[in-house]
Amino acid sequence: MTSAPTAPGAVTVRVPAKVNLELLVGPVRDDGYHDLSTVYQAVSLYDEVTVAPADAWGVSVSGALADGVPTDGDNLALRAARFLARRCDADPVHVSIRKGIPVAGGMAGGSADAAATLVALDQLWELDLERDELESVAAQLGSDVPFLVAGGTAMGSGRGELLAPVLARGTYHWVLALADGGLSTPAVYAECDRLRAGADVPAPVATPALMAALRTGDPHELAPQLTNDLQDAALSLRPDLAEVLSAGMEYGALGGIVSGSGPTIAFLVDGSEAGIDLAVALTASGVVRDVRRATGPVHGAQVLHHRVD
Ligand code: ATP
C-alpha cells in the first residue's frame, strides 16, 4: 500500500444497513467463530460518515439513533480509520457519524460505519485501493464489513467475510420493526450454542431454493425461503419478539425474520403500498418501538461529496 499524502477537505460517504435473507450457522470453529453460509441484502436505511483531517483522532455521533454508540477508541469507524492509517502512514482524522441504522439491532450498523470510513479515507488520502484490497482490509475489521463496502445481494461464507455474487432480480420492499434496546451478537451466538448443545450441527450450505427465488424477483417466492438459524436464540433472549413477528404476519407481511442477531425484525411485503399499510398497522398496535420502511438491494458504501478546502 502506498503512503498517504496529507489531503485537505472532507469526504462524506453514505452506507446502507443489511438484512440476512438466509443465515445458516455451522458448528463452532477452533478460533471461536462459527462457519456461516449467509445471503446478505443491502437495504435503504443509511448512516452518513464524514472524515476530515484533524489534529487528533476523534469521533462524534449524531442523529435520533445515536444512543449507545461509543465515542472513544471502541467505535468501529475510528478503529477502521486508525487501522488504515497504520498501513499507509497517514495523519489523524475526525470521523462524524449520522446514525440512521439501529444500534445493536442486527443490521450491522457498526460494520457499516467501518466500511464507510474505509471508502471515505480511500478518497481523502487518494489511495486508489483496488476493490480486492479494500475488501481484504475490510475483512480484517469485521465479518460483515466487506459486504457493506460491496452492497447489493451477495452470498457470504467463512465468518461471512468471503463474498460471492448472487443473481437477484427486482426490488424488494421491507418493513423493519425496531425494538427497545439491543441484543449483543456474542450473547445470541452463545445462546444458539446452548440451545443446540449435544445436537449434530451440519456444515452450512446455501439453499438452492433461495437462489431460485431471488432469480424470479417475486417476493411471494422469496418469503417462504427467509431463514435465520439465530432466530430461536434471539427469541429465547427476547420472548417479546414473538409477538412482533405474529403481529406483522397478521397485518399482511409475506414473511418475517429476525434480522441477523436481532432484535430488529424484517418483514417482506408485496410492494410499497403494502409497506405503508403494514408500517401503520404495526405502529398502531403498540407492539413495536418504531418502524422504518426500506427497499433492497441498494449500493454499498458510496461517496456523497468531497469538499476540497
Ligand atoms: P452485527 O449485526 O454486525 O453483529 P449489530 O447490527 O447488532 O451488529 P451494531 O449496531 O453494529 O450492532 O453495534 C454493536 C455494538 O458495537 C454496539 O452495542 C456498540 O457498542 C458498538 N459500536 C461500535 N462502533 C459502533 C458504531 N459506529 N455504530 C454502532 N455501534 C457501534
Side-chain angles (χ1 to χ4, degrees):
M1 208 175 276
T2 52
S3 84
T6 311
V11 177
T12 299
V13 166
R14 186 173 80 160
V15 65
K18 59 84 184 162
V19 294
N20 301 82
L21 308 178
E22 176 169 78
L23 177 51
L24 305 177
V25 179
V28 191
R29 311 191 310 197
D30 291 342
D31 63 5
Y33 287 99
H34 295 74
D35 264 324
L36 302 183
S37 172
T38 191
V39 176
Y40 296 105
Q41 182 162 96
V43 298
S44 60
L45 279 192
Y46 297 103
D47 281 359
E48 270 180 33
V49 176
T50 300
V51 295
D55 293 336
W57 295 101
V59 61
S60 50
V61 187
S62 64
L65 300 177
D67 273 5
V69 180
T71 50
D72 57 16
D74 285 342
N75 191 293
L76 295 172
L78 191 54
R79 267 202 227 165
R82 288 178 138 152
F83 184 79
L84 191 58
R86 274 198 297 277
R87 293 181 55 139
C88 59
D89 193 23
D91 291 331
V93 290
H94 185 89
V95 184
S96 313
I97 303 172
R98 193 135 65 90
K99 288 300 288 181
I101 304 175
V103 178
M107 303 195 73
S111 302
D113 295 345
T117 302
L118 294 181
V119 170
L121 290 176
D122 181 46
Q123 172 110 2
L124 184 74
W125 292 337
E126 298 169 354
L127 300 175
D128 281 330
L129 295 176
E130 298 291 335
R131 195 187 171 94
D132 288 4
E133 216 174 348
L134 202 55
E135 286 189 9
S136 127
V137 175
Q140 294 171 62
L141 291 161
S143 310
D144 294 338
V145 184
F147 175 69
L148 277 319
V149 171
T153 305
M155 210 172 93
S157 57
R159 291 180 283 116
E161 84 284 17
L162 305 171
L163 298 181
V166 164
L167 177 60
R169 291 201 171 84
T171 294
Y172 296 90
H173 294 259
W174 298 93
V175 174
L176 302 154
L178 312 195
D180 272 324
L183 269 174
S184 137
T185 304
V188 175
Y189 274 98
E191 181 67 359
C192 176
D193 291 339
R194 193 185 70 78
L195 293 174
R196 302 195 307 192
D200 189 16
V201 179
V205 180
T207 314
L210 173 73
M211 300 299 171
L214 282 168
R215 286 195 293 274
T216 68
D218 181 352
H220 294 265
E221 298 284 331
L222 179 60
Q225 304 304 330
L226 299 172
T227 312
N228 182 357
D229 280 353
L230 292 178
Q231 180 153 315
D232 287 348
L235 293 179
S236 166
L237 296 175
R238 288 285 302 262
D240 56 308
L241 297 179
E243 197 187 347
V244 179
L245 271 169
S246 49
M249 298 310 290
E250 190 183 318
Y251 298 142
L254 301 175
I257 36 162
V258 168
S259 176
S261 54
T264 306
I265 308 257
F267 291 109
L268 182 61
V269 291
D270 189 10
S272 160
E273 293 285 318
I276 295 170
D277 291 347
L278 179 59
V280 168
L282 279 173
T283 306
S285 74
V287 297
V288 299
R289 177 169 71 84
D290 207 351
V291 291
R292 295 282 188 281
R293 289 185 298 120
T295 58
V298 295
H299 284 291
Q302 273 188 322
V303 175
L304 280 187
H305 36 85
H306 184 174
R307 196 191 76 227
V308 181
D309 290 338

